[in-house]
Amino acid sequence: MGPLERLTFDTVELGTRDTFSEPSSFREAYHAAQRFVTDLQGWLVICGPSGTGKTHLAAAVGNALVEADQPVRFVSVPDLLDHLRSAFDPAVGAQYDEIFLQAIEAPILILDDLGAQSSTAWADEKLDQILTHRFNRRLPTLVTTGTRFDELGDRLRTRLGDPYFSKVVNIKAGSGMPDIRDSGLQTRLSEAMTFDSFAPKGAAGSTAAQKRSLSEAHAAAKVFGEHPSGWLYLAGPTGVGKTHLAAAIVGESIAQGREVLFRFVPDLLDDLRRSYGSGGGNSFDNAFRQVRDVEILVLDDFGAEASTAWAEEKLYQLIVHRHDSMMPTVFTSRTAIEMMSGTDSRSASRYSDAIISRLSDANVVAERYLTAPDFRHRGAAPRPRSTGRKSPRK
């Protein structure tokens, strides 16, 4: 199962959320998958659009069977055909036969993403051989497909849709409305950090200038939340409310049905490093693409990450893509933009000119600098700075 080991029945959410799939149809597929594990008879075919949870259920079946010491083969159809093509050589015929037999004779076979493969006469022939063999011998098989059942070829429909042997369930697409739990922002923060709960007058002891900086930042964040456009850069010392305003933008975006992602920059880079090292290209590419292409991106505590060539390269790629595509982006940082390249700043030369140039683009970026006593101190004398890792909350 490899990286799919994490996808089990315990990690499936069966509530009323309809972001990705319509709840009642997904629940039917969920129970059908559980019965397949228990009965191990016949075929189960799960149909539905991309992103509705088909692979999650298929992986949950595979992991449950592994846990029960049942012999099961899990493979995506495009990968299976690629393996067969690469082994289809007279010089390595035994390898081809071995791969083919693993699919055709597996005591239990899970074929994920049928229909995602390149459609060629050769590919259709191999799939037909595998399914016909297993159909005739009544070998337990689970198939997921993103293709509508009535759009499959006649021979596939005949085998996959046999009413006496196969159960077909259709997962319907959800409403597509995002959920705060998919944004990366903790629910408790989203509930506590709203525009209404932000205090533009600041903590006790705030001067008129400090109150004005908070009020201007609050207004700018609220406009961005209601009409996301360009970039918003919220700078200022710890505890003045930068993350509060960023979280409020996330909440407003969710309420408007927009796709938004909130990431604490050091954690984001740690996650990317892990996916790059352990999962290889696909795992990293998928993780990076999610951040790069999300409709609205919030990068919290920009500049708090460890300074390495790899980290700067990833941030450069992310910033260039979103700048060139004019994608709404929010930054919070303890460093003002003009200080990033200043010789007196501890962050001097931390970022390349290419990154600073884009952050300094007044046609795209609106910067607001917040200054006020630390809200957490409630006006008390500042406590010594911790040497541990900084929390993403300000």
Side-chain angles (χ1 to χ4, degrees), residues 139-159:
L139 294 173
T141 306
L142 188 156
V143 177
T144 76
T145 178
T147 304
R148 287 178 47 176
F149 191 79
D150 57 4
E151 294 178 354
L152 295 171
D154 291 341
R155 288 181 65 83
L156 281 177
R157 289 202 312 273
T158 299
R159 284 153 182 74

Side-chain angles (χ1 to χ4, degrees), residues 102-272:
Q102 285 177 353
I104 205 170
E105 295 286 4
I108 308 167
L109 178 65
I110 299 175
L111 290 175
D112 187 41
D113 229 354
L114 174 69
Q117 73 280 358
S118 299
S119 182
T120 66
W122 181 87
D124 293 343
E125 177 188 346
K126 296 301 116 182
L127 281 174
D128 184 72
Q129 290 175 349
I130 293 170
L131 293 173
T132 297
H133 178 91
R134 298 188 65 82
F135 180 83
N136 290 338
R137 287 161 178 75
R138 295 301 196 254
L139 294 173
T141 306
L142 188 156
V143 177
T144 76
T145 178
T147 304
R148 287 178 47 176
F149 191 79
D150 57 4
E151 294 178 354
L152 295 171
D154 291 341
R155 288 181 65 83
L156 281 177
R157 289 202 312 273
T158 299
R159 284 153 182 74
L160 298 178
D162 185 329
Y164 301 102
F165 179 61
S166 179
K167 179 173 180 58
V168 178
V169 292
N170 289 282
I171 303 178
K172 299 177 183 178
S175 67
M177 292 296 292
D179 188 284
I180 192 68
R181 289 168 290 183
D182 302 315
S183 70
L185 181 66
Q186 297 179 29
T187 302
R188 68 177 180 83
L189 294 185
S190 70
E191 293 173 348
M193 296 182 173
T194 66
F195 288 124
D196 290 339
S197 65
F198 184 80
K201 293 184 178 181
S206 297
T207 66
Q210 290 171 339
K211 293 177 181 178
R212 184 168 58 251
S213 75
L214 297 178
S215 179
E216 290 175 353
H218 178 263
K222 196 166 185 180
V223 169
F224 185 96
E226 294 170 352
H227 307 285
S229 177
W231 290 6
L232 178 62
Y233 191 96
L234 301 172
T238 297
V240 293
K242 303 183 300 295
T243 296
H244 189 134
L245 291 177
I249 289 173
V250 173
E252 178 64 25
S253 300
I254 293 293
Q256 293 185 16
R258 299 181 185 276
E259 182 189 21
V260 59
L261 187 63
F262 177 99
R263 294 308 309 267
F264 177 54
V265 176
D267 287 348
L268 167 63
L269 292 170
D270 283 348
D271 291 343
L272 289 176

Side-chain angles (χ1 to χ4, degrees), residues 3 6 271-272 274-289:
R6 72 187 191 283
D271 291 343
L272 289 176
R274 281 192 290 269
S275 67
Y276 188 83
S278 59
N282 287 338
S283 178
F284 171 81
D285 289 345
N286 290 336
F288 187 73
R289 191 181 303 112

